[in-house]
Amino acid sequence: MSRPVFIALDFPDAKTTMSFLEKFNDLSEKPALKVGMELYYSEGADFVRELRKQGFTIFLDLKLYDIPTTVGHAVASIAKLDVQYLTVHAIGGSVMLQQAVKNKGQKMKLLAVTQLTSFSEIDIQKTQLTTATMQESVLHLADIAYQTGIDGTISSAQEAELIRQKINDTFLRVTPGIRLTGDSADDQARITTPLKAKQMGATGLVVGRSITKSDNPVQAYQRILTEWGN
Ligand code: C5P
């Protein structure tokens, strides 16, 4: 799983999720899954344990952001779930990120959210009262994350290449905001196709609605894998 494509399981409950996952039963390799706040807050840790028991690679996207001690303890609890990836917000700062790294255990990778892909440059300038450009802001947050020992970032594909150049090739660059040509952007402001994301230096993709809202989710997933080159 060196260049994972995570399907974002943005579903309200376990039942809907399992009936969606059944469609993928015939594939030779199980898809990697992203469990976000909606599903986690509805079904909790037991459901994550169940998905792990079934052999799925899990990216738990809880975007932790709190005081350093609280985040450190939360990361230690989540590490016991044996998930492969977890998100924290880079904007939580160095001390918070250090606590996260200290408590993550040996196997789980931490990804730092830089700027949400639903944010445009104007949005961040207004909300965060800054004159920084999107690229400056993302790069600054990525660098803070890198300095503290975080494994990689979540950013739009539009910043992935810059992060690769300014930080290094091995720092992971996972990119949401992925749409197949012709799909709706929904609430995402910075979208890219899987092929473009690959060309722009992404090392992993998160895809939700282009798969989950498709008439044929398995076909959409396979199209994405083909474009992505897995
Ligand atoms: O449906 P769509 O492909 O837009 O879903 C993207 C997923 O990636 C959602 O689950 C969202 O929470 C997540 N995400 C994001 N932008 C980030 C971090 C995570 O869209 N910066």
Side-chain angles (χ1 to χ4, degrees):
M1 186 88 19
S2 59
R3 295 173 65 248
V5 172
F6 297 99
I7 302 180
L9 296 177
D10 293 326
F11 295 119
D13 53 42
K15 194 164 167 255
T16 321
T17 307
M18 293 321 290
S19 76
F20 170 79
L21 288 176
E22 266 170 30
K23 301 182 206 300
F24 294 80
N25 279 349
D26 292 339
L27 296 188
S28 57
E29 207 176 319
K30 282 181 184 294
L33 306 176
K34 186 179 85 78
V35 174
M37 294 182 200
E38 181 182 3
L39 188 56
Y40 190 79
Y41 290 145
S42 130
E43 297 293 346
D46 279 346
F47 186 58
V48 172
R49 287 191 194 97
E50 178 56 31
L51 291 172
R52 282 295 297 137
K53 215 162 92 191
Q54 293 187 20
F56 290 102
T57 293
I58 302 292
F59 167 5
L60 195 53
D61 186 18
L62 297 183
K63 298 188 178 68
L64 303 182
Y65 177 34
D66 207 319
I67 59 169
T69 305
T70 303
V71 167
H73 291 169
V75 170
S77 296
I78 291 164
K80 291 188 201 141
L81 292 178
D82 186 35
V83 296
Q84 284 64 48
Y85 299 85
L86 170 71
T87 43
V88 292
H89 266 291
I91 201 104
S94 297
V95 181
M96 190 203 87
L97 296 173
Q98 279 159 6
Q99 282 302 313
V101 170
K102 199 171 136 195
N103 287 282
K104 81 184 183 73
Q106 298 293 314
K107 290 190 264 171
M108 184 168 73
K109 291 194 189 312
L110 290 177
L111 300 171
V113 176
T114 53
Q115 294 289 356
L116 294 170
T117 43
S118 53
F119 265 175
S120 68
E121 188 165 279
I122 303 278
D123 292 332
I124 65 159
Q125 289 174 342
K126 277 193 182 158
T127 315
Q128 297 166 13
L129 199 64
T130 176
T131 52
T133 64
M134 178 63 77
Q135 288 203 338
E136 284 166 347
S137 174
V138 168
L139 203 57
H140 174 65
L141 291 165
D143 192 48
I144 291 175
Y146 175 67
Q147 299 298 337
T148 58
I150 293 279
D151 300 283
T153 52
I154 307 282
S155 74
S156 98
Q158 288 155 35
E159 294 96 34
E161 177 58 19
L162 195 69
I163 294 172
R164 189 185 72 75
Q165 283 171 17
K166 299 275 172 163
I167 296 182
N168 66 38
D169 201 36
T170 54
F171 191 55
L172 302 174
R173 299 168 304 276
V174 177
T175 63
I178 301 297
R179 291 290 181 274
L180 285 165
T181 311
D183 285 355
S184 155
D186 304 299
D187 56 353
Q188 296 283 21
R190 293 176 289 144
I191 58 166
T192 337
T193 64
L195 179 63
K196 274 233 178 90
K198 174 174 145 184
Q199 292 163 347
M200 292 163 111
T203 61
L205 301 182
V206 171
V207 192
R209 287 162 288 190
S210 263
I211 297 174
T212 56
K213 300 279 183 222
S214 162
D215 293 338
N216 188 334
V218 177
Q219 205 177 67
Y221 174 66
Q222 287 174 319
R223 256 180 77 195
I224 288 162
L225 290 188
T226 306
E227 267 196 42
W228 178 239
N230 260 3

